[in-house]
Each structure stands twice: as structure tokens, then as C-alpha cells.
Amino acid sequence: MTVADDATGRRTESATRLPREERRAQVLAAARQVFVAQGYHTTGMDDIAERAGVSKPVLYQHFPGKFDLYLALLDEGIASLIEALREALEATADNKQRVRGAVSAYFAFVDDPDGAFRLVFESDLTNEIAVRERIEAADDVCASLLGQVIAEDTALPIPQAELLASGLLGMAEIAARRWLRDGASRIPREDAVELIASLGWRGIRGFPLSHPPHTT
């Protein structure tokens, strides 16, 4: 059912019913907007219910509490980023284009109007173990995906390849957030992606397969 104002200004519920999954998606979209705009600590379930156009009992049918709702959004954002990165790496066998695709995936994630990246990269709940573990696990998955490509191309051991991958993806994340904050209106996104991808590729290609670096 949905919530609306009646002629007296009181909030009433209409008889319109959505399938459970559609209602859940509606609640998640509304909650994301509120969390991104207000942060976790200043957001109440009343705020989310109002934005979603549902009553609080309906809201609690889908999520037992605000933290559970936040974790669901965090999981959704992380899954979106990982899938975008995986698709970029699988789209070509050209490693230069893979680097560009990886950078582009981060810029696209940050540039998404729904602001999901703020829950993943700028969470105000990193002191919570469940949040921190999810974010660290996402970092590990992304580093593993790109690290495997780097290891195959350079013959570096996996730990070294994943460290390089973390450096490249960290650069993409920070550059994308800086671009959105300061440069989105001055530098087209594709141009920004090319700049950062070029920087990353110049570093990665310094480890050719035929000349792996030697440790001392």
C-alpha cells in the first residue's frame, strides 16, 4: 500500500499493493536518497518511510531496523561496483583497454546520480565491524580481479600483482571522487578517465612478462 495525504492533511494509506520485491526496491531507493543526503546517524526510519511513501509497519516488514537497511544498501552498492569491474575486465583481452575499463568503472560508479558510492567509499559507519568487513572484502575482490590480469601479464606473484591492482584502483577511486567534487563541470568524464588510465597503464606496462622485476 502507499501513503498519501487526505483532504484534512492526515497521512493515509491507499489500497495500491506492489509485489514484495518491487516494494523492497522502492524502500531501498528511498533509503539510499535519505542516507546519502543526511548520513546514517541523522536519518530516522520515519524519514525513510516518508520518502518511500509507506507506513513504518510496512517498512519494518522488509527491514527489521535502520542498520539492516543500511547494510542492504551497502551490499547492493558493492555488488554493482564489482560487477562493473568484472565486466570491464572480461570485455577485452587488450590489457591497456582493461586498465582503461577498470578506471572507467570507478568513474561511472562515482558519477551515478543515486550516490551509492558515498555509502561504499565515504561511509560514516566504518567503526562498525559489519560495515568495515564488507568494505574490506570488496577491496579484496576488486584487487583480486585486476590482480589476476596483472599477474598473467607480468608473471608477478599474486600478492605483488594484487598490491599493484590495489594501487591502481585506489588511484581511480580517489581521482574519480576528486573529479566529481571539483572537476566534473570542467573536465568531461571520458577525458578524466583517459588521463588516469594513461597514468595507470604507464606504470603497469613497466612490468613486462619477459622482464619481471627482480627482488634484492
Side-chain angles (χ1 to χ4, degrees), residues 114-184:
D114 71 12
F117 83 93
R118 298 193 185 281
L119 304 182
V120 179
F121 296 149
E122 300 175 0
S123 174
D124 55 354
L125 285 180
T126 51
N127 59 316
E128 294 286 345
I129 293 176
V131 172
R132 186 169 63 250
E133 287 180 345
R134 281 167 164 80
I135 293 174
E136 290 176 352
D139 288 341
D140 290 343
V141 171
C142 291
S144 178
L145 288 171
L146 183 56
Q148 186 62 44
V149 171
I150 293 173
E152 291 172 357
D153 193 50
T154 64
L156 285 170
I158 288 294
Q160 294 182 37
E162 289 184 350
L163 185 60
L164 285 175
S166 292
L168 193 153
L169 296 178
M171 177 176 66
E173 174 198 329
I174 292 172
R177 290 165 57 195
R178 170 64 183 269
W179 167 82
L180 185 68
R181 186 181 73 240
D182 298 335

Side-chain angles (χ1 to χ4, degrees), residues 31-44:
R32 185 185 303 107
Q33 293 171 5
V34 180
F35 281 136
V36 168
Q38 300 178 191
Y40 178 83
H41 296 291
T42 59
T43 294

Side-chain angles (χ1 to χ4, degrees), residues 46-142:
D46 286 329
D47 301 319
I48 296 169
E50 182 174 1
R51 181 65 64 89
V54 301
S55 64
K56 283 183 69 176
V58 169
L59 183 58
Y60 282 112
Q61 287 175 13
H62 294 272
F63 299 97
K66 184 172 72 167
F67 190 60
D68 302 277
L69 182 47
Y70 186 91
L71 290 180
L73 284 169
L74 181 60
D75 288 340
E76 190 176 74
I78 286 171
S80 176
L81 175 61
I82 290 173
E83 182 59 25
L85 178 60
R86 180 179 285 109
E87 288 179 358
L89 296 177
E90 293 177 352
T92 177
D94 182 329
N95 283 341
K96 181 178 181 180
Q97 292 305 312
R98 281 173 165 164
V99 169
R100 187 193 182 285
V103 173
S104 182
Y106 273 70
F107 270 78
F109 184 62
V110 167
D111 196 32
D112 191 324
D114 71 12
F117 83 93
R118 298 193 185 281
L119 304 182
V120 179
F121 296 149
E122 300 175 0
S123 174
D124 55 354
L125 285 180
T126 51
N127 59 316
E128 294 286 345
I129 293 176
V131 172
R132 186 169 63 250
E133 287 180 345
R134 281 167 164 80
I135 293 174
E136 290 176 352
D139 288 341
D140 290 343
V141 171
C142 291

